[in-house]
Amino acid sequence: MNETLIGQIDKILFEEEGFFIGVLKTGEKISGSYHESDVQNLKGSAITLTGYWQEHKKYGKSFKFEFLKVNQNELFFFLTKIVKGFTKKISADLIEQFGSEELVNILDNDIEKLLEFKGIKEKRLKKIQASWKQFRSMRRLGEFLSPFDVSPSLLTTIASAMKDVNEPCTKIKDNPYILTNINSIGFKRADELALKMGVDKENDGRVSSAMDYVLLNYCEAQGNSCISKEVLFGGLDELLCFTQKHYLYEAALVERVSGGSIVIMKNDRVSPARLYDAEKFLYDDFKARAKLDSGGFVKNLDEFLVDSDLKLGEQQKEAVSMVNKGASLLFLVGYAGTGKSTTSKTILDVLNTRYDKKEIMTCALSGIASQRISDTTGYESATIQSLIIKHESSDTFPYSVVLIDEASMINSSLFARLMRKISKKAIVIIVGDDAQLPPIGAGNILSDALTLELAPTVKLTKIYRQSEEQAITLIANEIRKGEVPEYREKYEDFEFVDVSVQNYYSLKNQLSQDELKNLRDENSNNIISEIVHRVIESIEKARYRLKNKQIKEYLNYFQVITPMKGGILGSNNLNVVLQEYFNPNPKKCVKRSGLEFRLMDKVVHTKNENMTSWSGDGFKLGEESNTRRIFNGMSGLLFKIEEEDEQLFVFYPNEDVVVVYEYEELKSHLMLSYALTIHKVQGMEYDIVIIPMSFTHFIMHNTKLIYTAVTRAKHKCILVGEGGAFESGCKKFESTRRDTVLLEL
């Protein structure tokens, strides 16, 4: 029978992945799992536990809890979780000295008085003052939501998102599902709150909100921009635990269509309006641009190429010729090593005969890809996101020529935003490799545009090999075609390290499932050992770059790329292993939710979100911060930890931006990047790439995945693992056709 225990946590004796053993100030030991925030945050907290007493082998009698509720002083919670500048100790001491009511009065009317308090100086006071002014109106929100067992992290998210909303409590009470508009909340968390507030399960607003969630979630997760009505209704049944309720869904669908948030297409397919609008715009825009004629540029192209000392193959020359003759839109598609960059440069040089360099812009999704196209062509470049933000106030970009590189990576929404900004009179060159993985997110614009033949297209297929000893491009292209390359040969830029389970197929039939798992785990650890050998060989060169403040070069020097996050060979475990070699003795570190971030760690941002930031020079000069959009996949260096303020700072060299992270944001916004998944490194390029190959990842292996991974290597690609797994993956074609609006128009 469950009991209730109330107390205050004094010590944390043990903690791993949310499970912890602690001691209350009264001496009782407690144990259980807590995932609302970092376990270490519970120290000093008053709590209510529901569970039962048990005898622990090591720790003796302890209370095994099944439910834990933090009973925090409302003001204490507000100061420590939402208002910046307060630590737990400072907050607790201030509340103890002044009381909640008087402290609020001081913060409202006499904040300078806090300078008399130990631990608060001018710098901290300025931060407190600014944050208190920004968030004080949110105290009512905390009081309003507290009866519904809203977690600290959820309240923080809601308070931050609704800081500029008038009467947030009233708006949430009238329609709790407005919370789904807040990043990271989604339908499930909003629905949990709504049901606690007494919303009926068949409420129209609930069903409509669920419909939006299922449709968008399915599209974003699967990469589709439309789905069948049958799939949509099936998803609603699963989410809402309904049966025989399709009449509710039909009514909600009519309401969403009339409201303009959902579009019904032919064949009973439905699409979120924003995705439909994006792809319909691109369809019309590409077709319109394809009909335009720029009038041509160079009279004698052969003479121009000779004078410019440019040597092109027939396919490359065809692409240049099409633009030279007047094509206003060109899709230039090519595989690794086919000379896309050379062709792009030549096209831009031809266009430069009429347009000044300042009228020509190149862009790509990632900072590295943007820098690469700038280096190879000699023309200005930017990331797509930064370009859009820079010209946010203008209807169109001030450019006569725009070249878009790595187009296969760009999803529907972003592609449409970009094309809407490009003048209808501008010449657009879209460059990409349709053999790579499709975009993260909905749509498959490059592939669909090629299938539909929406504009002039040149496909580069001839491989230009620099030397007999260099094989990355040849091996990559054989993989692309579904062929097994001569990967065991010795090459200057490619190496295979065989770490296979001997007689695996015969053992597979002889061993039990547990024995087979142990065998596979052992081999995975052997693969890690070989990876570590290669790390040790490269570590000094990596550290040299870091020591000499070549941050970009350090981040892009050595990279482990793996198909999955989980498992022994997943990025999560590999990051923990590799951190011990790349950054073994940090001066400072932060531990949160089982993760450890160390000073000078290599990290990656994990979600698209507006963050407090500075330019690199602005941070050095102590300028005021601003808010900037920071994108998923940006790679940076953790260079500063402020323990007192519970903040850390990351420099992203490709974007020249410094971002500050609160400790509470680490789990949701940041991860180590010594090892990354293949999807995460699309558009990136590294001097040395190591790829573990194992049958444990077999479900993920296919030609596109392996091709994408191998082509991330600039100078050396090392495959470590099982040859059989690699060969099987090379033969496994995976169709990337998605259900898209473009293909249904």
Side-chain angles (χ1 to χ4, degrees), residues 168 174 176 182 217 254 317 432 526 586 590 597 608 618:
D174 291 343
I182 300 173
N217 191 61
V254 169
K317 190 175 177 181
N526 291 337
V590 180
F597 293 95
N608 298 333

Side-chain angles (χ1 to χ4, degrees), residues 65 166 190 209 361 499 530 620:
F65 66 85
N166 291 324
S209 183
M361 174 59 68
V499 187
E530 287 296 334
K620 289 178 186 175

Side-chain angles (χ1 to χ4, degrees), residues 302-312 342 345-346 349:
D302 289 329
E303 189 177 298
F304 175 84
L305 294 174
V306 171
D307 291 345
S308 304
D309 199 27
L310 293 166
K311 296 180 180 179
L312 302 179
T342 301
K345 173 179 169 50
T346 308
D349 286 347

Side-chain angles (χ1 to χ4, degrees), residues 662 688 734:
E662 306 295 330
I688 302 171
E734 176 119 338

Side-chain angles (χ1 to χ4, degrees), residues 28 66 267 378 426 518 610 689 698 700:
E28 294 102 333
E66 296 173 344
N267 302 322
N518 290 336
N610 294 326
V689 165
F698 181 70
M700 294 288 293

Side-chain angles (χ1 to χ4, degrees), residues 34 185 245 298:
Y34 182 73
I185 289 185
K245 301 286 185 180
V298 178

